[in-house]
Amino acid sequence: MQKLLSQVRKCVRDYQMLSPGDRVAVGVSGGKDSLALLRLLAELRDHSAVPFELLAVTLDMGYEEMDFSPVADLCARLQVPYTLRRTQIREIVFDIRKEENPCALCAKLRRGILNETAVELGANKVALGHHYDDTVETFALSLIYEGRISCFLPVTYLDRTGLTLIRPMLYLHEKTIRNFAEREHLPVVHNPCPADKNTKREDVKALLYELEGRYPGLKDNIFGGLQRSPLPGWKPVK
Protein backbone atom coordinates (compact mmCIF):
# COMPACT_ATOMS: atom_id res chain seq x y z
CA MET A 1 0.00 0.00 0.00
CA GLN A 2 2.63 2.55 1.04
CA LYS A 3 4.72 2.08 -2.10
CA LEU A 4 1.71 2.62 -4.34
CA LEU A 5 0.53 5.53 -2.24
CA SER A 6 3.92 7.23 -2.53
CA GLN A 7 3.71 6.99 -6.34
CA VAL A 8 0.20 8.45 -6.32
CA ARG A 9 1.33 11.21 -4.00
CA LYS A 10 4.29 11.96 -6.30
CA CYS A 11 2.03 12.12 -9.36
CA VAL A 12 -0.41 14.41 -7.55
CA ARG A 13 2.47 16.67 -6.52
CA ASP A 14 4.24 16.64 -9.91
CA TYR A 15 1.10 17.84 -11.68
CA GLN A 16 -0.49 19.86 -8.87
CA MET A 17 -3.67 17.78 -9.00
CA LEU A 18 -5.14 18.63 -5.61
CA SER A 19 -5.79 21.86 -3.73
CA PRO A 20 -7.25 22.47 -0.26
CA GLY A 21 -11.02 22.21 -0.27
CA ASP A 22 -11.33 20.18 -3.48
CA ARG A 23 -14.38 17.96 -3.83
CA VAL A 24 -13.25 15.06 -5.99
CA ALA A 25 -15.65 12.68 -7.75
CA VAL A 26 -14.01 9.34 -8.51
CA GLY A 27 -15.37 7.60 -11.59
CA VAL A 28 -15.86 4.03 -10.37
CA SER A 29 -16.73 1.59 -13.15
CA GLY A 30 -16.24 -1.44 -10.94
CA GLY A 31 -13.04 -2.46 -12.72
CA LYS A 32 -9.75 -3.03 -10.92
CA ASP A 33 -8.30 0.34 -11.94
CA SER A 34 -11.12 2.55 -10.70
CA LEU A 35 -11.49 0.55 -7.47
CA ALA A 36 -7.76 0.81 -6.81
CA LEU A 37 -7.92 4.55 -7.44
CA LEU A 38 -10.79 4.90 -4.98
CA ARG A 39 -8.94 2.90 -2.32
CA LEU A 40 -5.70 4.84 -2.75
CA LEU A 41 -7.35 8.27 -2.81
CA ALA A 42 -9.29 7.40 0.35
CA GLU A 43 -5.98 6.54 2.02
CA LEU A 44 -4.43 9.75 0.71
CA ARG A 45 -7.41 11.76 1.98
CA ASP A 46 -6.93 10.34 5.47
CA HIS A 47 -3.20 11.10 5.61
CA SER A 48 -2.75 14.17 3.43
CA ALA A 49 -1.70 17.63 4.49
CA VAL A 50 -4.02 18.90 1.75
CA PRO A 51 -7.64 18.55 2.95
CA PHE A 52 -10.04 17.36 0.25
CA GLU A 53 -13.34 15.50 -0.01
CA LEU A 54 -14.06 12.33 -1.92
CA LEU A 55 -17.22 10.96 -3.48
CA ALA A 56 -17.72 8.03 -5.86
CA VAL A 57 -19.88 7.83 -8.97
CA THR A 58 -20.80 4.66 -10.86
CA LEU A 59 -22.68 4.64 -14.15
CA ASP A 60 -25.02 1.68 -14.55
CA MET A 61 -24.67 1.00 -18.27
CA GLY A 62 -27.89 -1.00 -18.46
CA TYR A 63 -26.52 -4.54 -18.16
CA GLU A 64 -28.87 -6.44 -15.85
CA GLU A 65 -26.17 -8.88 -14.72
CA MET A 66 -23.99 -6.19 -13.15
CA ASP A 67 -24.31 -5.97 -9.35
CA PHE A 68 -22.70 -2.89 -7.79
CA SER A 69 -23.76 -3.58 -4.19
CA PRO A 70 -20.21 -4.74 -3.24
CA VAL A 71 -18.89 -1.42 -4.58
CA ALA A 72 -21.44 0.44 -2.45
CA ASP A 73 -20.28 -1.59 0.58
CA LEU A 74 -16.64 -0.68 -0.10
CA CYS A 75 -17.55 3.01 -0.30
CA ALA A 76 -19.39 2.74 3.01
CA ARG A 77 -16.29 1.20 4.64
CA LEU A 78 -14.10 3.96 3.20
CA GLN A 79 -16.61 6.63 4.26
CA VAL A 80 -17.01 7.85 0.69
CA PRO A 81 -20.51 8.98 -0.41
CA TYR A 82 -21.64 6.75 -3.29
CA THR A 83 -23.91 7.55 -6.24
CA LEU A 84 -25.16 4.95 -8.73
CA ARG A 85 -26.48 6.66 -11.85
CA ARG A 86 -28.78 4.63 -14.10
CA THR A 87 -28.19 5.13 -17.83
CA GLN A 88 -29.34 3.73 -21.17
CA ILE A 89 -25.88 3.62 -22.70
CA ARG A 90 -26.02 -0.09 -23.59
CA GLU A 91 -29.38 0.36 -25.31
CA ILE A 92 -28.26 3.46 -27.22
CA VAL A 93 -24.97 1.98 -28.41
CA PHE A 94 -26.01 -1.57 -29.26
CA ASP A 95 -29.79 -1.56 -29.82
CA ILE A 96 -30.59 1.88 -31.23
CA ARG A 97 -27.37 2.90 -32.97
CA LYS A 98 -26.11 -0.67 -33.60
CA GLU A 99 -22.53 0.61 -33.65
CA GLU A 100 -19.97 -1.63 -35.36
CA ASN A 101 -17.22 0.18 -33.45
CA PRO A 102 -19.01 1.00 -30.21
CA CYS A 103 -16.14 2.11 -27.97
CA ALA A 104 -15.90 5.74 -29.14
CA LEU A 105 -19.61 6.48 -28.70
CA CYS A 106 -19.75 4.60 -25.40
CA ALA A 107 -16.79 6.56 -24.04
CA LYS A 108 -18.31 9.87 -25.17
CA LEU A 109 -21.64 9.10 -23.47
CA ARG A 110 -19.95 7.92 -20.30
CA ARG A 111 -17.78 11.03 -20.06
CA GLY A 112 -20.75 13.31 -20.54
CA ILE A 113 -22.96 11.63 -17.94
CA LEU A 114 -20.11 11.26 -15.43
CA ASN A 115 -19.22 14.94 -15.69
CA GLU A 116 -22.87 15.97 -15.51
CA THR A 117 -23.35 13.89 -12.36
CA ALA A 118 -20.18 15.29 -10.78
CA VAL A 119 -21.42 18.84 -11.31
CA GLU A 120 -24.81 17.95 -9.81
CA LEU A 121 -23.04 16.57 -6.73
CA GLY A 122 -21.02 19.75 -6.27
CA ALA A 123 -17.65 18.31 -7.28
CA ASN A 124 -15.01 20.52 -8.83
CA LYS A 125 -12.72 17.67 -9.91
CA VAL A 126 -13.16 14.22 -11.42
CA ALA A 127 -10.54 11.52 -10.83
CA LEU A 128 -10.07 8.86 -13.51
CA GLY A 129 -8.26 5.52 -13.21
CA HIS A 130 -5.87 5.75 -16.16
CA HIS A 131 -2.45 4.32 -15.39
CA TYR A 132 1.05 4.09 -16.88
CA ASP A 133 0.19 1.39 -19.43
CA ASP A 134 -2.97 3.26 -20.52
CA THR A 135 -0.78 6.27 -21.24
CA VAL A 136 1.69 4.40 -23.44
CA GLU A 137 -1.11 2.54 -25.25
CA THR A 138 -3.07 5.73 -25.92
CA PHE A 139 0.01 7.41 -27.36
CA ALA A 140 0.63 4.39 -29.62
CA LEU A 141 -3.04 4.24 -30.68
CA SER A 142 -2.99 7.89 -31.75
CA LEU A 143 0.26 7.46 -33.67
CA ILE A 144 -0.63 4.19 -35.41
CA TYR A 145 -4.31 4.73 -36.22
CA GLU A 146 -4.58 8.52 -36.47
CA GLY A 147 -1.10 9.66 -37.44
CA ARG A 148 -1.06 12.07 -34.51
CA ILE A 149 1.36 12.61 -31.63
CA SER A 150 -1.25 12.86 -28.92
CA CYS A 151 -2.34 11.52 -25.54
CA PHE A 152 -4.71 12.41 -22.74
CA LEU A 153 -3.26 14.82 -20.15
CA PRO A 154 -2.50 14.31 -16.46
CA VAL A 155 -4.73 17.32 -15.71
CA THR A 156 -7.45 18.67 -18.01
CA TYR A 157 -9.68 21.67 -17.33
CA LEU A 158 -13.12 21.52 -18.93
CA ASP A 159 -14.27 25.10 -19.39
CA ARG A 160 -17.83 24.10 -20.37
CA THR A 161 -18.46 22.44 -17.00
CA GLY A 162 -15.85 24.06 -14.76
CA LEU A 163 -14.54 20.59 -13.86
CA THR A 164 -10.91 19.55 -13.78
CA LEU A 165 -10.06 15.96 -14.72
CA ILE A 166 -7.13 14.40 -12.86
CA ARG A 167 -5.36 11.07 -13.35
CA PRO A 168 -3.43 10.29 -10.14
CA MET A 169 -2.31 6.74 -11.09
CA LEU A 170 -0.18 7.59 -14.13
CA TYR A 171 2.97 6.35 -12.39
CA LEU A 172 1.47 2.94 -11.54
CA HIS A 173 1.82 -0.05 -13.87
CA GLU A 174 -1.22 -2.17 -14.68
CA LYS A 175 0.40 -5.30 -13.21
CA THR A 176 1.03 -3.47 -9.94
CA ILE A 177 -2.60 -2.33 -9.81
CA ARG A 178 -3.86 -5.83 -10.57
CA ASN A 179 -1.79 -7.31 -7.74
CA PHE A 180 -2.98 -4.57 -5.39
CA ALA A 181 -6.63 -5.21 -6.25
CA GLU A 182 -6.20 -8.93 -5.53
CA ARG A 183 -4.28 -8.32 -2.32
CA GLU A 184 -6.87 -5.84 -1.05
CA HIS A 185 -9.77 -8.08 -2.16
CA LEU A 186 -11.36 -5.21 -4.06
CA PRO A 187 -14.86 -6.10 -5.33
CA VAL A 188 -14.19 -6.11 -9.07
CA VAL A 189 -17.39 -6.21 -11.13
CA HIS A 190 -17.25 -8.28 -14.33
CA ASN A 191 -17.75 -6.24 -17.49
CA PRO A 192 -20.29 -8.00 -19.77
CA CYS A 193 -19.81 -5.62 -22.71
CA PRO A 194 -19.59 -7.67 -25.95
CA ALA A 195 -16.77 -5.42 -27.18
CA ASP A 196 -14.62 -5.99 -24.09
CA LYS A 197 -11.15 -7.43 -24.94
CA ASN A 198 -11.92 -7.11 -28.67
CA THR A 199 -10.68 -3.61 -29.48
CA LYS A 200 -7.84 -1.77 -31.18
CA ARG A 201 -6.47 -1.03 -27.72
CA GLU A 202 -6.07 -4.76 -27.07
CA ASP A 203 -4.20 -5.10 -30.38
CA VAL A 204 -1.85 -2.27 -29.40
CA LYS A 205 -1.39 -3.74 -25.93
CA ALA A 206 -0.28 -7.02 -27.49
CA LEU A 207 2.04 -5.20 -29.93
CA LEU A 208 3.70 -3.22 -27.14
CA TYR A 209 4.14 -6.39 -25.07
CA GLU A 210 5.94 -8.02 -28.00
CA LEU A 211 8.12 -4.96 -28.66
CA GLU A 212 8.96 -4.56 -24.98
CA GLY A 213 10.32 -8.12 -25.04
CA ARG A 214 12.57 -7.25 -27.97
CA TYR A 215 13.47 -3.75 -26.80
CA PRO A 216 13.51 -3.63 -22.99
CA GLY A 217 12.68 -0.19 -21.66
CA LEU A 218 10.53 0.76 -24.65
CA LYS A 219 7.53 1.75 -22.54
CA ASP A 220 9.71 3.77 -20.15
CA ASN A 221 11.18 5.60 -23.12
CA ILE A 222 7.73 6.43 -24.49
CA PHE A 223 6.42 7.63 -21.13
CA GLY A 224 9.59 9.62 -20.45
CA GLY A 225 9.42 11.04 -23.95
CA LEU A 226 5.93 12.36 -23.23
CA GLN A 227 7.18 14.09 -20.08
CA ARG A 228 10.09 15.64 -21.99
CA SER A 229 8.04 16.51 -25.08
CA PRO A 230 6.67 19.97 -25.92
CA LEU A 231 3.10 18.65 -25.54
CA PRO A 232 1.36 21.09 -23.17
CA GLY A 233 0.54 19.69 -19.76
CA TRP A 234 2.94 16.75 -19.70
CA LYS A 235 6.04 18.34 -18.20
CA PRO A 236 5.97 17.80 -14.42
CA VAL A 237 5.78 20.94 -12.31
CA LYS A 238 8.86 20.93 -10.11
Side-chain angles (χ1 to χ4, degrees):
M1 167 73 81
Q2 291 308 313
K3 185 176 180 180
L4 273 70
L5 194 61
S6 67
Q7 290 294 90
V8 169
R9 187 178 286 112
K10 184 177 188 306
C11 187
V12 167
R13 183 175 62 248
D14 281 354
Y15 293 103
Q16 298 181 339
M17 292 183 176
L18 292 174
S19 301
D22 278 343
R23 185 170 170 83
V24 183
V26 183
V28 181
S29 67
K32 68 182 189 314
D33 301 332
S34 62
L35 290 171
L37 175 63
L38 176 67
R39 178 70 179 86
L40 290 166
L41 285 182
E43 190 74 15
L44 185 64
R45 173 202 61 189
D46 295 341
H47 300 90
S48 176
V50 178
F52 65 94
E53 297 179 60
L54 272 184
L55 53 96
V57 177
T58 295
L59 303 184
D60 185 331
M61 308 282 285
Y63 295 102
E64 294 181 1
E65 58 267 45
M66 297 187 77
D67 177 16
F68 293 104
S69 57
V71 177
D73 292 340
L74 173 65
C75 289
R77 291 197 300 273
L78 297 175
Q79 297 184 317
V80 176
Y82 180 63
T83 298
L84 178 62
R85 176 79 177 263
R86 308 287 180 183
T87 78
Q88 296 177 299
I89 293 177
R90 183 206 61 78
E91 180 183 0
I92 293 170
V93 173
F94 292 104
D95 297 341
I96 299 175
R97 294 283 294 271
K98 302 183 187 302
E99 291 284 328
E100 293 184 6
N101 300 299
C103 296
L105 177 59
C106 180
K108 182 178 181 179
L109 293 172
R110 284 188 286 113
R111 283 195 302 268
I113 298 173
L114 174 61
N115 294 343
E116 177 184 276
T117 305
V119 170
E120 291 172 357
L121 294 171
N124 68 310
K125 290 184 177 175
V126 172
L128 302 175
H130 296 114
H131 48 67
Y132 169 95
D133 295 273
D134 287 328
T135 305
V136 176
E137 290 160 13
T138 299
F139 175 84
L141 276 165
S142 295
L143 188 61
I144 293 170
Y145 289 104
E146 300 175 6
R148 295 190 303 133
I149 296 177
S150 177
C151 189
F152 52 69
L153 298 177
V155 177
T156 305
Y157 177 69
L158 306 177
D159 54 6
R160 293 181 63 180
T161 62
L163 290 171
T164 298
L165 306 185
I166 61 174
R167 296 174 167 90
M169 295 202 304
L170 293 185
Y171 292 170
L172 299 182
H173 291 248
E174 184 175 21
K175 182 178 179 180
T176 302
I177 294 171
R178 183 183 299 111
N179 292 339
F180 174 73
E182 293 175 355
R183 189 167 62 249
E184 291 287 313
H185 304 291
L186 297 179
V188 175
V189 179
H190 170 67
N191 181 7
C193 175
D196 189 38
K197 307 302 182 185
N198 187 28
T199 64
K200 290 180 179 178
R201 180 172 290 274
E202 290 300 318
D203 291 342
V204 167
K205 184 189 292 285
L207 174 63
L208 288 169
Y209 179 83
E210 177 187 346
L211 291 174
E212 180 76 15
R214 294 167 58 186
Y215 309 106
L218 173 70
K219 288 186 178 181
D220 286 343
N221 287 340
I222 293 175
F223 193 93
L226 276 170
Q227 291 189 308
R228 294 186 294 272
S229 76
L231 288 176
W234 264 104
K235 186 175 182 180
V237 179
K238 298 295 185 181

